Amino acid sequence: PTTEEVINTMLHPRVKSAVQEKLGFTSLTYVQRASFPHISNPHGGDVVIRSETGSGKTLAYALPLVNQIVKDADTEKIDRTFR
């Protein structure tokens, strides 16, 4: 996918805002674009990214995970009772 496809169709609006406005990202690296759909896949599976230093691997792993946490927080009530 392109940067625009990931940012405009796959990211939660709050994550999109944080990425663009707070972090100042205007584009994603190839590694980040290519891995996003695989890491975001709800059916799971392992994802291994092998790329050079500075290619954006950390954000490639983190962005889909943070995106899912924010989506879940908006759609699911979190049980905060102590058991």
Side-chain angles (χ1 to χ4, degrees):
T2 66
T3 293
E4 292 75 26
E5 288 172 330
V6 172
I7 290 176
N8 293 325
T9 65
M10 298 180 190
L11 284 183
H12 185 282
R14 288 189 354 227
V15 177
K16 176 183 174 180
S17 172
V19 167
Q20 291 181 319
E21 296 168 21
K22 302 213 189 292
L23 298 176
F25 286 102
T26 57
S27 64
L28 300 175
T29 66
Y30 172 78
V31 167
Q32 294 159 348
R33 292 189 316 269
S35 63
F36 195 94
H38 300 288
I39 296 173
S40 298
N41 183 343
H43 301 292
D46 295 335
V47 176
V48 176
I49 300 172
R50 199 171 126 183
S51 189
E52 66 272 359
T53 300
S55 63
K57 291 182 298 291
T58 301
L59 188 61
Y61 282 113
L63 189 59
L65 299 176
V66 169
N67 192 57
Q68 190 61 51
I69 291 168
V70 172
K71 280 180 165 180
D72 289 349
D74 273 359
T75 58
E76 299 175 18
K77 181 162 175 42
I78 299 171
D79 182 6
R80 298 177 192 269
T81 57
F82 182 73
R83 297 171 197 234

